[in-house]
Amino acid sequence: METLIGTLAGIVSTICWLPQTLRTWRTRQTKDLSLSTNLLVLLSVTLWLIYGVMLAAWPMVVANAIAIALVGSIIIAKLKFG
């Protein structure tokens, strides 16, 4: 049961970044995005990834690896278009 809940949490928390990432790259509008907030989120999901690896909690690892890619993409867009 724990793995199911962890997997669902990982799916939902990762999917929530997809609309912002897609919108950012489609519109190239980053003025209203906070670089510092996104950097802190990137740090946060990176630490969660490390923690997941330490626990061998693969749903956590996969979800946070994807989140790193999405948030990292937003940061790249902010630096490129901002």
Side-chain angles (χ1 to χ4, degrees), residues 13-77:
S13 63
T14 301
I15 288 174
C16 75
W17 288 103
L18 194 54
Q20 184 67 64
T21 303
L22 292 174
R23 182 169 190 252
T24 299
W25 281 96
R26 282 185 189 142
T27 65
R28 305 199 185 302
Q29 297 295 319
T30 61
K31 178 181 64 131
D32 294 329
L33 299 178
S34 168
L35 181 59
S36 59
T37 297
N38 279 284
L39 287 170
L40 286 171
V41 169
L42 181 63
L43 175 61
S44 172
V45 294
T46 301
L47 292 172
W48 278 114
L49 172 69
I50 294 166
Y51 183 63
V53 169
M54 292 170 71
L55 295 178
W58 299 114
M60 185 185 295
V61 170
V62 172
N64 285 295
I66 295 168
I68 287 169
L70 294 172
V71 174
S73 177
I74 292 170
I75 291 169
I76 290 168

